[in-house]
Amino acid sequence: MATENILEIKNLSKSYNDSQGTNNVISDMNLTLKEGDFLSILGPSGCGKTTLIRCICGFEKYQGEIFVEGEKVTKPGTDRIMVFQSFDQLYPWKTVRGNIEFPLKKQGIKDKAELDRIVKKQLELIGLSGYEDYYPHQLSGGMKQRVAIARGLALRPKIILMDEPFAALDAMTRNKLQRELHKIAENEHLTVIFITHNIQEALVLGTRVMLMSSHGEVKIDMENPIPKPVTPDSPGYGELWRKFEDAL
Ligand SMILES: Nc1ncnc2c1ncn2[C@@H]1O[C@H](COP(=O)(O)OP(=O)(O)OP(=O)(O)O)[C@@H](O)[C@H]1O
Ligand SMILES: [Mg+2]
């Protein structure tokens, strides 16, 4: 299937069955993503944001169709990597280098010089050069999130799916990481889906901003009209912020 869309979601439905009955979390959702899109997704708690990206990652069975570069998603793969909110997503028994190298080795990269080169490049990108031999418990929360991002980027995924990756950080670190992620995404031409509860974060990072309501209904999906870098002083910021605040 020839396509310029890196991601195509057609009539996606996902429900869970439990003792209370069937919970239709996502019903008939459609969504496309182009290469280089940075899609921020906002939405109330429980509306199905995490479920959506778990489906895209291949962690969930679903109804409908999800294509990544024309290939149907049936299982997890390193073309889609997920970064979570939790500071515990690194292997605690491996160093920073070990954490980044592990999935690369699983992918069959065995050459030491090649592994070294990739680790060095990723740590430079993410601002952690010199921390190769640190263990996760020796890092701050922000540093751990940087390593988790570096580990994901090292695999050169087609799509990066981030589920509130900065939510547990203090405001200053969060702002700093937002700026850095924005720079990396732009320079490396990343395609990202970024879930957040924070409207400011959605507007600062997103080239596109989406608001999901219950059952995966897309209430707003718009190009972000504010030129980067977006700050609260950017013309149009306040108006756009209120639009999402009201809709939420
Ligand atoms: N494994 C599961 N089994 C049963 N129900 C689930 C499962 N995972 C999610 N759900 C249900 O699906 C709904 C959506 O959950 P989801 O985690 O996708 O929401 P969310 O939008 O990410 O919320 P939040 O903003 O709080 O993270 C919730 O009602 C939740 O209880
Ligand atoms: Mg969630």
Side-chain angles (χ1 to χ4, degrees), residues 185-227:
E186 228 176 42
N187 292 345
E188 306 282 307
H189 203 62
L190 304 179
T191 308
V192 183
I193 295 183
F194 189 98
I195 293 174
T196 177
H197 277 108
N198 185 307
I199 301 174
Q200 175 261 351
E201 186 163 83
L203 298 181
V204 164
L205 287 169
T207 58
R208 231 172 103 190
V209 190
M210 185 174 125
L211 178 71
M212 243 172 99
S213 62
S214 50
H215 306 302
E217 191 195 338
V218 178
K219 259 179 111 178
I220 304 175
D221 181 358
M222 61 183 291
E223 295 289 322
N224 188 348
I226 305 172

Side-chain angles (χ1 to χ4, degrees), residues 16 23 25 43-51 164 197:
Y16 291 107
N23 180 2
V25 180
S45 185
C47 76
K49 302 180 296 296
T50 298
T51 302
E164 307 189 51
H197 277 108

Side-chain angles (χ1 to χ4, degrees), residues 145-163:
Q145 294 310 78
R146 285 169 204 253
V147 176
I149 294 170
R151 179 175 65 182
L153 292 179
L155 290 162
R156 306 193 66 78
K158 291 178 181 145
I159 308 176
I160 300 157
L161 300 117
M162 304 182 117
D163 196 356

Side-chain angles (χ1 to χ4, degrees), residues 90-105:
L90 302 175
Y91 303 113
W93 60 88
K94 286 186 188 291
T95 61
V96 167
R97 178 197 302 283
N99 267 282
I100 297 174
E101 282 183 350
F102 181 69
L104 293 168
K105 287 179 176 165

Side-chain angles (χ1 to χ4, degrees), residues 15-18 20-24:
S15 52
Y16 291 107
N17 293 307
D18 56 29
Q20 323 238 327
T22 303
N23 180 2
N24 296 311

